[in-house]
Amino acid sequence: MLRLTEALHKVIKAHGEVSYPFEGCGLLLGRVVDGVNVVTEVRPLPNVWPVEEEKRVRFRIAEDDWRDVELAAMLKGLDVVGVFHSHPDSLPVASPRDLAWAAWPGYSYLITQVQGGTAVLSRSWQLLPDRSGFVEEDVVIE
Amino acid sequence: MPGDILLNVQEVFGEVMPTIRIPTPLRPYTGGQSEVAVSGNTVGDALADLTRQHPDLRPHLFEGDSLRSFVNIYLNQEDVRYLEGAETAVSDNDTLLIIPSIAGGKGGV
């Protein structure tokens, strides 16, 4: 399960909209509480996929950007609990491409559909333990 | 467990050892520890000690003898690929970070 505030969700949606028609991405910071990824901060990051035109359908987070966020989070007693990205003009469903480039099960993969430049829907996914696919998780926005 | 002994020695005698920060999804395999003190003079030795202390971590970091393709190791702020890789020297006050490569997007692979 993923839990975040409406204010943080607005930041995520705004990043998806400002990135449109390209995919936007970033990291979710917070703590794992009784198996729930509780988000207390979000960090929009550059989409560093190397081919500009392909950013419409691809994203990549730079490892150095992740390192900087990780080190800053450490100082605050926070952790990276997930990744967010947008799907321009496409359902917020984890794709084969998301699966191929995923990390470890346990992170939340929050995807926001941005339709015609407006963020319309977010859904979150967890990688299965055997890495064979994603399963949707509940999202609580309060 | 050897890891517990190492940690206790550090706590009791104030001995300083390199530490490895554990990403949240991997903490179930370290008994919930966010950082693990390790022994070793190189990055490779430090990772070997980590997986010796916590064997269930190994398949999440390694594929055979090599790091999984999406796993990157940073020594303090430096990606060890741009240093000397597994042979990079580590010192007692160093922190190793395990940083994943993440990408994706709508559509096929």
Side-chain angles (χ1 to χ4, degrees), chain A residues 58-122:
Chain A
R58 290 183 181 273
F59 79 95
R60 179 179 173 88
I61 293 175
E63 291 81 5
D64 283 358
D65 286 340
W66 187 304
R67 171 207 58 196
D68 291 344
V69 172
E70 182 85 36
L71 290 171
M74 278 171 63
L75 294 176
K76 293 181 171 183
L78 300 176
D79 294 302
V80 176
V81 298
V83 178
F84 68 90
H85 74 280
S86 58
H87 280 182
D89 301 317
S90 184
L91 293 173
V93 177
S95 69
R97 185 170 289 157
D98 293 323
L99 178 63
W101 295 74
W104 303 286
Y107 284 133
S108 289
Y109 293 84
L110 182 70
I111 304 176
T112 301
Q113 178 180 358
V114 180
Q115 196 69 35
T118 302
V120 293
L121 177 65
S122 296

Side-chain angles (χ1 to χ4, degrees), chain B residues 43 73-90 94-96:
Chain B
V43 168
I73 305 298
Y74 277 71
L75 175 63
N76 303 316
Q77 303 225 13
E78 297 293 323
D79 186 333
V80 301
R81 285 179 302 179
Y82 304 112
L83 299 174
E84 293 175 61
E87 298 304 314
T88 304
V90 295
D94 283 336
T95 298
L96 291 163

Side-chain angles (χ1 to χ4, degrees), chain A residues 25-45:
Chain A
C25 55
L27 295 176
L28 306 170
L29 307 185
R31 295 186 180 85
V32 182
V33 181
D34 297 331
V36 177
N37 289 332
V38 179
V39 180
T40 56
E41 294 186 25
V42 299
R43 285 285 181 279
L45 292 172

Side-chain angles (χ1 to χ4, degrees), chain A residues 1 5-6 11 13 28 40 52 67 85 92 122 127 132 141:
Chain A
M1 179 190 286
T5 64
E6 181 60 46
V11 174
K13 289 193 294 186
L28 306 170
T40 56
E52 187 76 359
R67 171 207 58 196
H85 74 280
S122 296
L127 188 61
S132 63
I141 299 174

Side-chain angles (χ1 to χ4, degrees), chain B:
Chain B
M1 288 175 61
D4 295 330
I5 294 168
L6 285 170
L7 196 61
N8 290 339
V9 166
Q10 189 172 21
E11 287 173 349
V12 173
F13 297 103
E15 182 184 344
V16 178
M17 300 170 72
T19 58
I20 300 181
R21 182 161 169 85
I22 309 298
T24 48
L26 301 184
R27 292 181 193 169
Y29 311 108
T30 61
Q33 292 179 70
S34 59
E35 293 184 354
V36 175
V38 292
S39 60
N41 296 318
T42 65
V43 168
D45 289 346
L47 290 173
D49 189 49
L50 174 67
T51 56
R52 199 160 35 239
Q53 294 182 47
H54 302 288
D56 291 343
L57 263 181
R58 187 170 176 83
H60 298 280
L61 297 177
F62 289 90
E63 207 158 23
D65 290 333
S66 302
L67 283 172
R68 282 183 171 270
S69 58
F70 64 83
V71 174
N72 307 281
I73 305 298
Y74 277 71
L75 175 63
N76 303 316
Q77 303 225 13
E78 297 293 323
D79 186 333
V80 301
R81 285 179 302 179
Y82 304 112
L83 299 174
E84 293 175 61
E87 298 304 314
T88 304
V90 295
S91 303
D92 290 344
N93 287 310
D94 283 336
T95 298
L96 291 163
L97 300 176
I98 301 170
I99 302 292
S101 294
I102 290 277
K106 62 182 186 181
V109 176

